[in-house]
Amino acid sequence: MSSSQSIDLRLPTPGCYADPVRAGMDADAVFDGMTEHLFFTLGKLATSASLRDLYMALSFAVRDRLMSRYLTSQETIRARPQKTVAYLSAEFLIGPQLNNNLLNLGIKKEAEEALKRFGIESLNEILEVEEEPGLGNGGLGRLAACYMESLASLQVPAVGYGIRYEFGIFNQLIRDGWQVEVTDKWLKGGWPWELPQPDEACLVGFGGQTESYTDDNGNYRSRWIPSEHAIGVPHDVPVLGYRVNSCDRLRLWRADATESFDFYAFNIGDYYGAVEEKVASETLSKVLYPNDGTDEGRRLRLKQQHFFVSCSLQDMLRSLEKRSIPIQEFPDHWTVQLNDTHPAIAVAELMRLLIDQHRLDWEKAWEITNRSVAYTNHTLLPEALEKWDLSLFRNLLPRHLELIYEINRRFLQQVRLKYPGNDLILRKLSIIDEEGGKAIRMAHLATIGAHHVNGVAALHSDLIKRQLLPEFAELWPEKFTNVTNGVTPRRWVALANPELSKLLDKEIGPNWITNMDLLLELEKKENDSNFLDLFASAKLSGKRKLAGYIHKQTGVLVDPSSLFDVQVKRIHQYKRQHLNALQVIAQYLRIKNGITKNIAPRTIIFGGKAAPGYFMAKLMIRFINGIADVVNADPDMEGLLRVVFLPDYNVKLGEQVYPATDLSEQISTAGKEASGTGNMKFAMNGALTIGTLDGANVEIRERVGAENFFLFGKTESEIMELRDQGYSPNSFIAESIELQETLKLIEVGHFSNGDSELFKPIINILTGNDPFFVMADFDDYLRAQDEVSKAWKKSQQWNRMALLNTARSGFFSSDRSIREYCQSIWKVKPLPVEISCEK
């Protein structure tokens, strides 16, 4: 920590921001803090403390050291008002917090020394105890977490707004090859990183009806009379920047009932009815992404979105009132970023709050809304672009529907001026989808209400303008921009890959962690055999660690010297885990047929969760496990091929997987993946990519060099051409003997204990309409995998390619992404925080 950022701990005044008792950074102070919390907070003596007790005590001691920075950061914003980023996201996959906070405070060594006094020889013993917060599912939530960490590290004032899911998504078990969902009780032992703020709760309404009236000035107005309410109670999580005083916050809303217990119902024997309202209200923050395959599931999902958006906007407006700042200045103090369509209701809710509660006229309210809101699109898939049935929406949010109708009416008037008489374009641009059952298009609402719309990779942003929202892009070309995703190097290199981090510190100094452009210095070492050996040694260390984990969790023994070929991400047909599985079968057949000369020994690792209601994704998991059972039991595969499915893939497991990976599988159908962030984490950690020209793969290949990337597959334009010509997967199958043999082996039940029916749905899709062009890309994928095997056998060449992936990956730091958002979309500046000891 630099002297300009240091805290003066010599001043004896207790209770101030730099209280020497609670903010000391040496091992003695950390030990004293742990001892105090063991005794006073947990009610335990050190002699009888369990590992979990010590984890909690250390976490509380570390949180004490966050508080000076956290409270000073809040006071700095109050004292020096400037624009703050409000990042609205349905997910924040923040991962374990203890190690991250130790790193950012710079006291990992001190914590290790303090733990030794309790008889704990390794910090890892304590870190293993920590539960992962179940606040997200995949890339969307992990991106939000990376962005919050980068905002704090860049000293930009920010609040992340979301839901405090009590049970998260689910824990994944694998039983008989199938995914089994188990409740994620991550809060069962308490979570030391949150600060409940019940005095800042918000009231949110649902249902009911609206009524019109005339206000005191004779203006026509509408009021909403909800039929039910829920209370949102904020729980704040400090988000500390790396070696700075700036500490932002994640504000997560927990749902409470307005009335928890009905004594009358209880007294007449209706025991369930006595707590019915409490149960119904608290369901809002129980679980991430309720199954939207049912009417009740869809209703709950929409209620969740409105709940956290309304609480968050009310919180922002209240913050202005507390500081006596006029509501009209909202855009000067808050910039509201919608992370995908989940928070898109914010456009209508902000209008409601400004018009109905703060009595602004329409034009002023719309100006404030439009100047404040920006929208990030994360997907081109139609099913992920949320649409809400009109009757459901009217029943749940009647006032918002009125406002959306009016937003749409005024917007379509603008469109008519530009395209007079063109009814087709009106139908395409309308917020109300008139096709089939009427529905609200949330992406359209967000696009109309936002001042900027951005994609998350160069290709993705181009496809938004050309395919997804072309009429909007023609109407408002200035609205559309790109900010390629990024990931934080603090968690994904410094924490996850300590061996590589030490090597980087020694070679280019420690500043790479906040200035990833310094990694380019490593290019000078690309022909240095000694350095390449050190780089490979760091990789081997990660592989040995993962091999131990695999054996412990699955019982499968894998060889750390084999090529670790990894595909870990949400299970979905467009991500094409089944394409990878097919090439595993092809490799298996080659080995069985004695064609082993050019095969590199491989450990092929899969990981990821399937949505509970997504049958094909769950069948793909069963398919992969069926292949693994056959391959791993076959003595002919010994030393050549192993297949592993890692259960319950999450951030904690990812920290072991990324450093250990040699080959990163990024094989989605071109034009389907918005960006990806796993591809960036792999590249930073020296993995080579095999992939299509999809999402950020395009930019990764441009940055690391085409010669250091294994490219295959149809391009986005070629996919479109195939589709337009009437794509026939069987024409590709007919041209490929290996593909025919691979499919035949599945059809006869070779990977399903002779059951020829089990995987028939997969075969039917691949040989039927094959929506993600697996058959079209199979042969070229196999060719690229052969190139991988050839490269792997030339170890120094492989190590050089891996080094250049790390050296040229600096662009994909989330610090760069956040700087671009700040400059081109949010128009916000850093607000450095200084800590004094004055009360």
Side-chain angles (χ1 to χ4, degrees):
M1 185 176 290
S2 68
S3 58
S4 64
Q5 297 166 344
S6 63
I7 302 173
D8 186 352
L9 299 176
R10 295 169 296 173
L11 299 172
T13 311
C16 68
Y17 290 137
D19 185 337
V21 177
R22 305 298 286 268
M25 306 290 274
D26 59 24
D28 288 340
V30 175
F31 173 78
D32 289 343
M34 288 184 66
T35 304
E36 177 184 342
H37 280 293
L38 274 174
F39 192 87
F40 290 106
T41 307
L42 301 172
K44 297 290 180 70
L45 293 172
T47 52
S48 60
S50 66
L51 285 177
R52 176 162 184 81
D53 293 331
L54 293 173
Y55 156 72
M56 294 292 284
L58 178 57
S59 296
F60 281 125
V62 170
R63 195 182 79 176
D64 288 346
R65 281 138 189 85
L66 297 182
M67 283 302 100
S68 55
R69 292 157 178 81
Y70 174 73
L71 293 172
T72 308
S73 295
Q74 303 306 312
E75 285 301 318
T76 300
I77 294 171
R78 291 190 186 99
R80 295 160 54 193
Q82 74 167 57
K83 191 182 286 187
T84 298
V85 177
Y87 199 82
L88 271 62
S89 180
E91 300 182 39
F92 286 94
L93 194 59
I94 60 176
Q97 293 296 286
L98 176 56
N99 204 17
N100 198 65
N101 285 322
L102 289 171
L103 174 75
N104 287 357
L105 284 169
I107 58 170
K108 282 190 73 170
K109 290 182 179 177
E110 289 77 6
E112 287 175 340
E113 186 178 328
L115 284 169
K116 285 179 181 176
R117 302 182 196 181
F118 291 99
I120 304 299
E121 291 302 315
S122 170
L123 174 61
N124 288 332
E125 291 183 61
I126 299 300
L127 298 179
E128 282 299 312
V129 174
E130 185 168 11
E131 291 278 352
E132 177 160 332
L135 298 170
N137 175 27
L140 182 82
R142 187 51 234 171
L143 180 78
C146 284
Y147 280 1
M148 288 303 300
E149 195 269 0
S150 279
L151 281 161
S153 293
L154 294 172
Q155 304 184 83
V156 176
V159 182
Y161 284 109
I163 297 178
R164 180 184 178 270
Y165 300 105
E166 184 177 346
F167 296 117
I169 183 164
F170 58 83
N171 287 333
Q172 180 194 57
L173 301 178
I174 301 298
R175 290 180 181 159
D176 299 323
W178 292 96
Q179 169 180 293
V180 176
E181 299 94 25
V182 180
T183 304
D184 176 13
K185 299 178 182 178
W186 68 279
L187 282 168
K188 63 181 181 295
W191 195 42
W193 303 106
E194 63 181 359
L195 303 163
Q197 308 287 356
D199 57 327
E200 297 185 31
C202 295
L203 188 66
V204 181
F206 304 98
Q209 71 277 341
T210 62
E211 62 179 26
S212 57
Y213 69 101
T214 303
D215 66 16
D216 295 340
N217 298 318
N219 297 315
Y220 173 85
R221 292 197 174 274
S222 183
R223 68 164 62 93
W224 181 23
I225 307 171
S227 58
E228 60 176 300
H229 291 89
I231 296 172
V233 180
H235 289 62
D236 292 346
V237 182
V239 181
L240 180 65
Y242 180 75
R243 309 294 167 88
V244 294
N245 291 330
S246 295
C247 188
D248 291 330
R249 62 177 168 163
L250 184 58
R251 173 155 277 197
L252 303 171
W253 300 97
R254 189 195 81 232
D256 272 358
T258 53
E259 185 66 51
S260 295
F261 192 80
D262 184 338
F263 276 100
Y264 175 76
F266 183 83
N267 287 334
I268 63 171
D270 184 4
Y271 304 124
Y272 175 76
V275 294
E276 186 174 9
E277 184 181 346
K278 176 180 172 64
V279 171
S281 295
E282 293 182 358
T283 300
L284 286 171
S285 57
K286 286 291 182 187
V287 66
L288 171 67
Y289 296 154
N291 187 353
D292 57 4
T294 66
D295 290 342
E296 280 306 308
R298 286 189 289 273
R299 180 180 175 85
L300 176 56
R301 193 158 175 171
L302 180 56
K303 286 182 76 172
Q304 282 185 330
Q305 292 178 6
H306 171 61
F307 166 72
F308 96 84
V309 164
S310 180
C311 287
S312 304
L313 290 171
Q314 289 182 58
D315 192 57
M316 292 176 229
L317 291 166
R318 182 173 56 195
S319 77
L320 299 187
E321 294 173 0
K322 284 182 177 179
R323 293 176 286 172
S324 301
I325 297 171
I327 294 299
Q328 289 81 353
E329 295 180 21
F330 184 89
D332 300 322
H333 294 273
W334 288 99
T335 178
V336 182
Q337 187 68 39
L338 310 180
N339 192 29
D340 216 4
T341 53
H342 308 119
I345 191 65
V347 174
E349 175 64 0
L350 184 53
M351 287 293 287
R352 184 189 73 83
L353 292 168
L354 293 173
I355 293 172
D356 293 1
Q357 294 194 5
H358 294 278
R359 299 293 189 269
L360 298 186
D361 61 41
W362 182 278
E363 286 73 17
K364 186 60 184 176
W366 185 250
E367 178 202 350
I368 290 170
T369 299
N370 187 246
R371 284 179 57 204
S372 304
V373 174
Y375 163 51
T376 299
N377 173 280
H378 281 278
T379 184
L380 300 168
L381 298 178
E383 66 267 24
L385 289 169
E386 290 185 311
K387 293 197 297 186
W388 294 108
D389 178 77
L390 206 63
S391 61
L392 168 64
F393 203 96
R394 181 186 293 110
N395 179 264
L396 198 61
L397 301 170
R399 177 59 178 145
H400 297 75
L401 184 59
E402 290 180 353
L403 292 164
I404 288 171
Y405 274 138
E406 182 62 14
I407 292 169
N408 199 43
R409 184 189 70 79
R410 291 173 181 245
F411 165 65
L412 292 181
Q413 281 293 89
Q414 296 179 45
V415 177
R416 288 188 184 96
L417 290 173
K418 187 172 177 65
Y419 304 102
N422 191 334
D423 290 340
L424 177 62
I425 222 165
L426 290 176
R427 287 197 298 273
K428 284 185 176 179
L429 290 176
S430 175
I431 299 173
I432 311 300
D433 184 0
E434 304 282 354
E435 300 295 327
K438 290 187 177 182
I440 308 289
R441 295 164 164 156
M442 300 307 283
H444 287 212
L445 177 63
T447 301
I448 293 165
H451 57 79
H452 278 88
V453 177
N454 74 280
V456 290
L459 174 63
H460 174 237
S461 295
D462 181 57
L463 290 173
I464 288 175
K465 290 188 286 186
R466 286 196 291 113
Q467 292 183 16
L468 186 68
L469 301 169
E471 294 83 9
F472 283 107
E474 186 176 340
L475 188 65
W476 293 313
E478 72 284 355
K479 265 195 186 191
F480 289 80
T481 188
N482 173 65
V483 181
T484 299
N485 284 346
V487 300
T488 171
R490 268 76 65 180
R491 181 176 290 277
W492 295 114
V493 182
L495 283 183
N497 202 339
E499 295 302 318
L500 177 58
S501 298
K502 289 174 190 173
L503 184 61
L504 297 179
D505 287 350
K506 184 177 180 181
E507 187 59 35
I508 58 177
N511 292 333
W512 64 269
I513 199 167
T514 52
N515 180 6
M516 291 283 280
D517 290 341
L518 293 175
L519 293 179
L520 290 168
E521 292 288 315
L522 296 174
E523 289 190 18
K524 298 173 183 176
K525 296 291 183 179
E526 64 175 300
N527 296 313
D528 184 334
S529 58
N530 289 330
F531 187 80
L532 291 176
D533 287 344
L534 291 172
F535 189 81
S537 178
K539 174 67 70 176
L540 185 58
S541 175
K543 292 172 73 173
R544 285 173 174 156
K545 182 179 177 183
L546 182 59
Y549 177 89
I550 289 171
H551 183 240
K552 181 180 178 181
Q553 295 297 319
T554 70
V556 179
L557 282 169
V558 301
D559 181 2
S561 68
S562 65
L563 188 158
F564 276 22
D565 177 348
V566 179
Q567 187 176 19
V568 287
K569 53 184 68 207
R570 185 164 50 91
I571 309 295
H572 197 291
Q573 289 180 82
Y574 89 83
K575 295 180 184 286
R576 301 204 296 191
Q577 284 91 352
H578 47 343
L579 174 59
N580 193 353
L582 291 177
Q583 77 91 15
V584 175
I585 296 172
Q587 302 289 359
Y588 167 81
L589 278 169
R590 287 177 177 181
I591 297 170
K592 293 298 287 183
N593 292 327
I595 308 171
T596 60
K597 182 180 178 182
N598 297 318
I599 288 180
R602 292 198 197 209
T603 298
I604 301 179
I605 300 169
F606 294 87
K609 296 178 180 179
Y614 190 174
F615 169 74
M616 280 304 301
K618 297 177 87 167
L619 187 61
M620 283 162 64
I621 292 175
R622 176 64 183 86
F623 182 42
I624 291 164
N625 281 298
I627 296 168
D629 289 343
V630 171
V631 168
N632 297 341
D634 191 327
D636 292 343
M637 302 298 118
E638 191 67 37
L640 291 173
L641 189 61
R642 279 285 180 272
V643 182
V644 176
F645 188 94
L646 290 174
D648 205 31
Y649 186 73
N650 55 19
V651 173
K652 202 170 180 178
L653 182 49
E655 290 177 5
Q656 294 192 58
V657 169
Y658 291 113
T661 298
D662 296 305
L663 185 68
S664 161
E665 297 273 353
Q666 306 298 330
I667 61 176
S668 52
T669 312
K672 295 298 182 184
E673 183 74 83
S675 169
T677 52
N679 47 9
M680 302 170 187
K681 297 164 198 167
F682 282 121
M684 280 185 185
N685 283 281
L688 276 61
T689 303
I690 182 169
T692 54
L693 287 178
D694 194 30
N697 287 356
V698 177
E699 289 158 275
I700 289 176
R701 184 169 178 265
E702 289 171 355
R703 297 277 170 175
V704 306
E707 69 279 8
N708 302 309
F709 185 108
F710 299 101
L711 178 66
F712 79 94
K714 305 292 184 186
T715 65
E716 177 269 330
S717 59
E718 289 170 338
I719 291 287
M720 291 294 292
E721 186 178 345
L722 274 177
R723 181 181 287 117
D724 292 343
Q725 291 174 353
Y727 169 59
S728 171
N730 288 301
S731 63
F732 288 90
I733 296 170
E735 294 174 2
S736 173
I737 298 299
E738 281 197 283
L739 183 50
Q740 293 170 29
E741 292 177 345
T742 296
L743 294 174
K744 186 64 177 177
L745 210 57
I746 302 166
E747 288 175 347
V748 299
H750 189 73
F751 303 103
S752 49
N753 296 315
D755 183 352
S756 59
E757 295 296 314
L758 181 59
F759 300 131
K760 186 172 278 188
I762 293 176
I763 295 294
N764 289 344
I765 282 181
L766 294 177
T767 59
N769 63 339
D770 188 20
F772 299 105
F773 298 84
V774 175
M775 301 293 92
D777 277 351
F778 176 84
D779 269 9
D780 201 31
Y781 180 47
L782 213 53
R783 174 204 55 78
Q785 291 288 7
D786 290 341
E787 292 297 318
V788 169
S789 292
K790 290 177 186 175
W792 178 255
K793 292 189 173 185
K794 300 174 182 177
S795 59
Q796 281 298 83
Q797 175 190 328
W798 184 280
N799 293 338
R800 176 183 172 277
M801 295 164 72
L803 174 66
L804 291 176
N805 267 264
T806 294
R808 297 169 179 173
S809 63
F811 175 81
F812 301 102
S813 166
S814 50
D815 293 351
R816 185 269 314 154
S817 303
I818 289 300
R819 288 191 184 99
E820 289 186 11
Y821 273 107
C822 289
Q823 292 164 10
S824 64
I825 297 177
W826 298 335
K827 312 298 182 186
V828 296
K829 296 178 180 178
L831 181 63
V833 174
E834 297 178 2
I835 296 183
S836 70
C837 207
E838 296 179 9
K839 294 183 182 179

